[in-house]
Amino acid sequence: MDVTLHLAQDPEADALLGRSPLAALVGMLLDQQVPMEWAFKGPATIARRMGAEDLDAHEIAVQDPDAFAELLSEKPAVHRYPGPMAKRVQQLCQYLVDHYDGSAELVWKGVDDGRVLLKRLQDLPGFGSQKAQIFLALLGKQLGVTPTGWREAAGAYGEPKSFRSVADITGPESLAKVRAHKQEMKAAAKAAKAAK
């Protein structure tokens, strides 16, 4: 995996996301309740604070939980909720160690069915149905992982140029389109709630 992503809108962080399957997974895990760029800068920040050029699932899984939470809490914090997210990152890494020998890429490498890959992603700690579909769409649209039926398994996120999620962000212009879509969805949800 060696592509150019534009999710963090930061060259160093985006370079790591493009070459490191684990960084991409951790960025997706962190992508909740914070701006997307903040979430996807997280893997590079964690690696730098650990004195490494990349993330290592084995190394993260065995960190002392309090020390790892402190590492994510240092200013600027990796996430709005650094303690709980540190725990989730460690749970994800432990799962990868237990099921994929610590290699995030093995979650999708050699999988030839989109539904099977979606199930593997949904099995990851911290990955619900929507997050798994978004990451599957990112794999298919930008990382060249295109098992049979991946678009269908990714649902609406798999649609070409749908601008619904990080899977469609390739630069500032597409980021603005995704933001606009999310604002429309929030407004519609708010209006529906008010109508009840």
Side-chain angles (χ1 to χ4, degrees):
M1 190 169 115
D2 194 8
V3 298
T4 301
L5 294 178
H6 301 280
L7 306 179
Q9 302 290 300
D10 171 273
E12 179 189 337
D14 282 329
L16 178 61
L17 295 169
R19 72 173 184 270
S20 169
L22 180 56
L25 269 183
V26 169
M28 190 74 226
L29 178 69
L30 295 172
D31 189 20
Q32 60 186 50
Q33 299 179 313
V34 295
M36 178 207 65
E37 301 94 323
W38 186 3
F40 283 96
K41 276 184 190 173
T45 302
I46 294 169
R48 188 170 51 255
R49 290 179 184 172
M50 292 182 77
E53 291 185 17
D54 195 355
L55 300 180
D56 181 304
H58 293 277
E59 191 175 329
I60 292 172
V62 299
Q63 293 290 310
D64 173 78
D66 292 334
F68 192 66
E70 186 61 38
L71 184 120
L72 269 68
S73 299
E74 288 176 26
K75 302 289 183 206
V78 169
H79 195 275
R80 179 178 292 151
Y81 304 107
M85 292 313 288
K87 183 176 180 180
R88 284 189 174 188
V89 170
Q90 284 194 287
Q91 288 170 338
L92 172 63
C93 288
Q94 186 61 58
Y95 184 89
L96 292 172
V97 168
D98 293 344
H99 298 271
Y100 296 100
D101 196 30
S103 173
E105 188 176 28
L106 292 181
V107 173
W108 55 83
K109 191 171 185 179
V111 178
D112 59 6
D113 184 303
R115 290 171 306 197
V116 171
L117 179 49
L118 179 63
K119 173 74 171 83
R120 284 182 170 204
L121 292 169
Q122 288 172 330
D123 288 344
L124 296 174
F127 278 67
S129 178
Q130 184 180 34
K131 193 176 284 283
Q133 283 187 310
I134 291 169
F135 194 76
L136 176 55
L138 178 65
L139 287 170
K141 290 180 175 183
Q142 296 198 48
L143 300 174
V145 178
T146 56
T148 302
W150 72 270
R151 285 192 188 274
E152 294 78 8
Y157 301 107
E159 294 170 6
K161 299 186 185 196
S162 59
F163 300 107
R164 296 177 190 272
S165 72
V166 299
D168 294 295
I169 295 173
T170 56
E173 186 179 316
S174 52
L175 172 60
K177 289 180 181 178
V178 169
R179 282 232 162 84
H181 174 76
K182 288 186 177 196
Q183 288 171 342
E184 287 172 20
M185 299 311 297
K186 281 184 184 177
K190 192 174 183 180
K193 191 175 181 181
K196 285 185 181 178

